[in-house]
Amino acid sequence: MELMINGEVQRFDSENPQTVAELMVFLEITEKRGVAVAVNDEVVPRRKWGESPVNDGDRVEIIRATQGG
Amino acid sequence: MDDRWKVGPYEFSSRLLVGTAKYPNYQVMLDALEASGTDLVTVAIRRLDIDASSESGVLELISDRYELLPNTAGCYTAKDAILTANLAREALETNLIKLEVIADDETLLPDGEELLKAAGALVDDGFVVMAYTNDDPVLCRKLQDLGCAAVMPLGSPIGSGMGIRNPYNFRIIREILEVPMLLDAGVGTPSDATLAMELGCDGVLLNTAISGAEKPVTMARAFKLAVEAGRLAYQSGRIPKRLYAQASSPLEGVVHSES
């Protein structure tokens, strides 16, 4: 399966992540403070990461609050 | 001096809002924020660097101490600004949003049409919208009418350091707005912030004027004092301007020599 993650195509060969939560584990995003995820332009609330699927071709945005003016 | 003010349900004591970008390092940023006396600091929402995802970055340094105001900087359309605002709300658990929808990357001037579209949608969705806008009294009124919690006209383009290019518009906007009015963008030096407060702004938001100064920490203190001075002056009522002199000393009893 392929996902578009933050504007870049990422291929998954054998172990496809099934949910947003599994994707976060796969990407080793352990520090989750200030992080949010949207799939196909819809924000996925953190409490729903475990039950929200990611499917082939989905556009995933993973953001973090950072320094800004 | 107890002079607290509110943006929607959020209450603050400092009237200086400070950005967290472009400091030489984290320690200078922290010291400058401290010296500024601010309660409310801005942050940006950006794609996570997946390869450096184990760091929480700036948040662990500031999130316990300051209220965070996420922005939609870099958004050119209402659609992107709305998505960014929703991501910010989810990431930071705040309804506050500094709404920026810009038209081009040379001037970074707001796109009024897209700004109004985004502001309406976000207000309807429960956001407490602080709208970065042109110094256009009509646009400012429309943003207020849509339900923005604060309206923040620019003094001059972001990062330009040109101060308030049209103070007369600021006076008109002040008369129109009932919600808080903040100067956002263009501040170069503390006297710009003082002028804004003397014109009746409820606060001043800036970043580069502090972070880009040779000594950001002392400049931050200068801005704290400048905003307080301008606020006090506004509350105290300045004297009218006159074309001719008016003596301060008594006119009676002036000593005359025989001639």
Side-chain angles (χ1 to χ4, degrees):
Chain A
M1 123 171 142
E2 280 185 5
L3 296 175
M4 177 78 88
I5 301 175
N6 286 354
E8 290 183 16
V9 175
Q10 179 142 1
R11 283 194 61 83
F12 297 87
D13 294 324
S14 49
E15 299 168 45
N16 286 348
Q18 302 295 312
T19 64
V20 172
E22 288 180 21
L23 177 63
M24 299 300 271
V25 171
F26 184 91
L27 296 174
E28 298 178 343
I29 297 170
T30 49
E31 174 54 62
K32 299 190 182 69
R33 187 171 355 194
V35 170
V37 177
V39 175
N40 300 331
D41 295 344
E42 286 291 327
V43 173
V44 181
R46 185 165 308 188
R47 64 179 185 282
K48 294 190 177 168
W49 284 2
E51 61 194 75
S52 298
V54 285
N55 299 305
D56 187 42
D58 279 352
R59 282 175 295 111
V60 181
E61 291 285 332
I62 307 171
I63 63 86
R64 165 123 62 214
T66 184
Q67 289 171 283
Chain B
M1 181 180 67
D2 188 25
D3 186 26
R4 298 178 72 80
W5 64 291
K6 288 176 87 170
V7 179
Y10 298 86
E11 196 173 302
F12 306 105
S13 75
S14 171
R15 290 169 181 272
L16 179 57
L17 286 62
V18 183
T20 56
K22 298 197 293 185
Y23 294 84
N25 57 55
Y26 277 159
Q27 192 58 52
V28 172
M29 178 194 74
L30 290 173
D31 291 348
L33 293 179
E34 176 74 27
S36 76
T38 189
D39 306 320
L40 181 58
V41 302
T42 57
V43 292
I45 300 299
R46 287 291 176 269
R47 284 173 167 171
L48 180 68
D49 178 357
I50 308 279
D51 299 327
S53 60
S54 60
E55 296 165 22
S56 75
V58 73
L59 280 188
E60 67 180 325
L61 302 173
I62 56 174
S63 60
D64 293 339
R65 192 167 167 77
Y66 302 101
E67 192 77 46
L68 299 180
L69 174 59
N71 67 32
T72 63
C75 291
Y76 289 80
T77 63
K79 185 166 176 277
D80 281 349
I82 291 166
L83 176 58
T84 302
N86 277 285
L87 286 164
R89 175 157 71 179
E90 169 64 18
L92 298 172
E93 296 172 353
T94 179
N95 287 323
L96 280 170
I97 190 76
K98 176 189 167 186
L99 178 61
E100 286 183 49
V101 191
I102 54 174
D104 67 76
D105 58 10
E106 197 169 0
T107 65
L108 299 178
L109 289 172
D111 182 326
E113 192 180 3
E114 293 294 308
L115 177 63
L116 289 171
K117 221 187 290 177
L122 291 173
V123 168
D124 289 347
D125 199 15
F127 283 89
V128 176
V129 176
M130 303 177 72
Y132 166 64
T133 171
N134 294 296
D135 61 349
D136 170 356
V138 177
L139 188 53
C140 288
R141 179 177 51 72
K142 287 186 175 182
L143 288 163
Q144 172 172 263
D145 291 348
L146 282 171
C148 289
V151 175
M152 309 199 292
L154 56 86
S156 48
I158 293 172
S160 70
M162 295 275 282
I164 300 177
R165 291 203 295 197
N166 195 338
Y168 301 100
N169 271 19
F170 267 63
R171 283 172 57 183
I172 294 171
I173 295 166
R174 176 67 287 173
E175 287 183 17
I176 290 171
L177 290 183
E178 288 163 25
V179 297
M181 168 185 177
L182 288 88
L183 166 62
D184 182 359
V187 174
T189 194
S191 54
D192 298 332
T194 303
L195 175 61
M197 297 305 291
E198 288 175 345
L199 290 169
C201 287
D202 296 282
V204 174
L205 197 167
L206 58 91
N207 191 145
T208 313
I210 290 178
S211 66
E214 275 184 39
K215 298 179 182 173
V217 181
T218 50
M219 188 60 92
R221 175 162 160 73
F223 271 108
K224 171 187 162 76
L225 298 173
V227 167
E228 287 176 10
R231 176 66 182 167
L232 283 172
Y234 176 68
Q235 291 174 312
S236 305
R238 60 154 298 157
I239 60 165
K241 291 182 181 178
R242 298 169 188 275
L243 191 55
Y244 292 100
Q246 191 183 39
S248 332
S249 302
L251 296 175
E252 296 88 36
V254 176
V255 176
H256 291 283
S257 62
E258 295 288 328
S259 58

